[in-house]
């Protein structure tokens, strides 16, 4: 079982879905967890309560990942509360689906800002601390559609493909300082976000999944835990596909 | 009280693992002291901590030698 005892992890977008699951699992593995949220304060506090009931340590911190100032404040708060930042999970993400012909500039910009620029901002913000420590783990939650493309999600796909490229560059730039960066590319995972996808997309995805079912948030969280732990010590710049075999 | 040069020299010796007598004012970080670009970023971070000041990215880009760093810090402290 992967062990994160004494480590401090910031999980962005951790008030629900995959992020909430990662936060709970990391706390159960012994990590101090920062449950980041941007809007859903009550849900974030519920995640913190669930962790504390389980004997874990967590705080909820509000920050918009696309806003460097609030992210810096979150990292400062993390360090003043827990003393360090060992792990960053860039999980915060949104969708604004539309066919490209109909996609508004706003829909494009919002998704790129949160999903891609947000990863850049958060990674940059923790790098100083991790470089000093000569160790760190960055786990980016990408998406399998960033590898295969998906009609109706030009903005989301571009952001997730961007995250995969950013992961590789982060890995190369920081490897000499003991910091690894890897990505997880989930396929169709049952969350509020995927419930919001239209029936057509859901059905076309199911037909492409060899394992014949959608994934669960905890299946993504387990992979993120592996990548954040010492067990993944010789792995960097990689993207793990957790997609029931959709892309091989 | 150690001079700015002495304190800068100590940071450089610790960070880059060079000998103290190699750290001359005209020595360039990347050319003479064997730093790579990431070492320079780290060096600037440590100088910020040592002298309790913020060095902007633009200013940091203008520092290529030990002398550049020392005069920048002395000017900012004045």
């Amino acid at each position: 079982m992967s062990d994160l005892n004494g480590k401090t992890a910031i999980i962005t977008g951790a008030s629900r879905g995959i992020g909430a699951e990662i936060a709970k699992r990391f706390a159960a593995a012994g990590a101090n967890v920062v449950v980041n949220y941007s809007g859903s304060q009550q849900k974030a506090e519920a995640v913190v309560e669930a962790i504390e009931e389980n004997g874990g340590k967590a705080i909820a911190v509000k920050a918009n990942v696309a806003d460097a100032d609030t992210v810096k404040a979150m990292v400062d708060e993390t360090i003043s509360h827990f003393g360090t930042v060992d792990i960053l999970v860039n999980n915060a993400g949104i969708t604004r689906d539309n066919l490209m012909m109909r996609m508004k500039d706003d829909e494009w910009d919002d998704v790129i800002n949160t999903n891609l620029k947000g990863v850049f901002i958060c990674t940059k913000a923790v790098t100083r601390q991790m470089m000093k420590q000569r160790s760190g783990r960055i786990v980016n939650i990408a998406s399998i559609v960033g590898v295969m493309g998906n009609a109706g999600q030009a903005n989301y796909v571009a952001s997730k493909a961007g995250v995969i490229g950013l992961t590789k560059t982060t890995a190369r730039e920081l490897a000499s300082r003991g910091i690894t960066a890897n990505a997880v590319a989930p396929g169709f995972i049952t969350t509020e976000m995927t419930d919001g996808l239209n029936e057509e997309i859901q059905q076309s995805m199911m037909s492409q999944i060899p394992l014949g079912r959608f994934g669960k948030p905890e299946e993504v969280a387990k992979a993120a835990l592996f990548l954040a732990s010492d067990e993944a010590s010789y792995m960097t710049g990689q993207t793990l596909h957790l997609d029931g075999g959709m892309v091989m | 009280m150690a001079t700015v040069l002495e304190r800068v020299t100590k940071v450089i010796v610790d960070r880059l693992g060079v000998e103290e007598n190699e750290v001359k004012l005209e020595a360039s970080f990347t050319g003479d002291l064997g730093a790579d670009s990431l070492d320079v970023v780290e060096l600037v971070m440590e100088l910020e901590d040592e002298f309790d000041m913020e060095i902007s990215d633009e200013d940091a880009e203008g520092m290529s030698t030990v002398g550049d760093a020392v005069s920048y810090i002395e000017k900012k402290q004045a």
Side-chain angles (χ1 to χ4, degrees):
Chain A
M1 171 89 189
S2 302
D3 182 12
L4 301 182
N5 243 331
K7 306 275 191 197
T8 295
I10 296 175
I11 323 289
T12 68
S15 62
R16 50 195 166 150
I18 291 172
E21 198 58 40
I22 291 172
K24 288 177 195 166
R25 201 160 277 268
F26 277 28
N32 305 315
V33 174
V34 173
V35 176
N36 159 257
Y37 66 96
S38 65
S40 322
Q41 184 176 0
Q42 285 183 338
K43 287 183 177 168
E45 279 166 3
V47 172
V48 169
E49 272 172 41
I51 287 170
E52 286 173 344
E53 275 169 26
N54 219 4
K57 284 190 206 137
I59 54 171
V61 180
K62 182 182 169 88
N64 172 2
V65 293
D67 174 0
D69 291 338
T70 63
V71 168
K72 185 177 183 303
M74 171 172 70
V75 173
D76 289 347
E77 189 175 343
T78 302
I79 293 168
S80 71
H81 201 273
F82 291 125
T84 169
V85 184
D86 305 291
I87 299 160
L88 168 68
V89 181
N90 284 305
N91 166 78
I94 58 170
T95 54
R96 298 277 185 274
D97 296 348
N98 217 335
L99 288 172
M100 217 179 339
M101 294 292 291
R102 295 198 184 123
M103 188 173 286
K104 311 268 190 304
D105 288 1
D106 286 359
E107 292 172 329
W108 174 268
D109 290 342
D110 286 352
V111 169
I112 296 294
N113 278 336
T114 297
N115 298 13
L116 180 57
K117 192 178 178 190
V119 175
F120 163 69
I121 287 173
C122 292
T123 300
K124 202 172 154 186
V126 299
T127 301
R128 187 187 183 102
Q129 180 68 24
M130 289 183 178
M131 276 172 69
K132 276 192 203 166
Q133 293 169 188
R134 286 290 187 273
S135 71
R137 288 271 192 275
I138 294 165
V139 180
N140 294 328
I141 309 302
S143 169
I144 202 65
V145 299
V147 181
M148 59 182 254
N150 200 24
Q153 291 195 300
N155 46 6
Y156 187 78
V157 168
S159 74
K160 294 302 188 177
V163 167
I164 291 171
L166 183 55
T167 304
K168 294 176 188 179
T169 292
T170 308
R172 287 188 188 276
E173 284 195 7
L174 301 177
S176 64
R177 300 303 188 268
I179 301 167
T180 69
N182 290 288
V184 169
F188 199 109
I189 308 298
T190 309
T191 64
E192 278 174 48
M193 184 193 276
T194 50
D195 288 344
L197 293 177
N198 71 44
E199 194 71 11
E200 202 181 336
I201 291 179
Q202 292 204 21
Q203 278 181 1
S204 81
M205 280 203 162
M206 182 66 105
S207 69
Q208 296 172 59
I209 303 172
L211 285 180
R213 65 173 177 83
F214 297 151
K216 300 177 206 136
E218 60 262 37
E219 292 177 308
V220 180
K222 282 181 202 170
L225 175 57
F226 165 71
L227 292 174
S229 76
D230 284 342
E231 286 174 46
S233 52
Y234 197 54
M235 192 170 165
T236 196
Q238 300 300 312
T239 300
L240 278 185
H241 293 186
L242 298 169
D243 62 353
M246 261 166 87
V247 174
M248 300 184 190
Chain B
M1 181 86 182
T3 65
V4 169
L5 174 60
E6 285 164 354
R7 289 163 70 189
V8 168
T9 300
K10 182 166 186 327
V11 169
I12 292 170
V13 167
D14 288 350
R15 166 56 47 226
L16 301 179
V18 293
E19 296 297 328
E20 212 173 304
N21 60 21
E22 294 177 76
V23 186
K24 302 188 184 85
L25 283 177
E26 65 275 16
S28 87
F29 297 122
T30 51
D32 301 316
L33 299 173
D36 65 18
S37 51
L38 198 56
D39 289 324
V40 176
V41 172
E42 271 190 310
L43 211 51
V44 170
M45 276 166 35
E46 291 188 15
L47 291 173
E48 286 181 325
D49 290 344
E50 172 69 24
F51 293 96
D52 195 24
M53 61 172 60
E54 289 221 3
I55 302 173
S56 72
D57 291 344
E58 292 74 34
D59 290 346
E61 276 166 26
M63 284 182 207
S64 60
T65 65
V66 176
D68 292 341
V70 170
S71 58
Y72 176 87
I73 292 164
E74 283 175 342
K75 212 189 227 166
K76 219 167 167 187
Q77 280 184 332

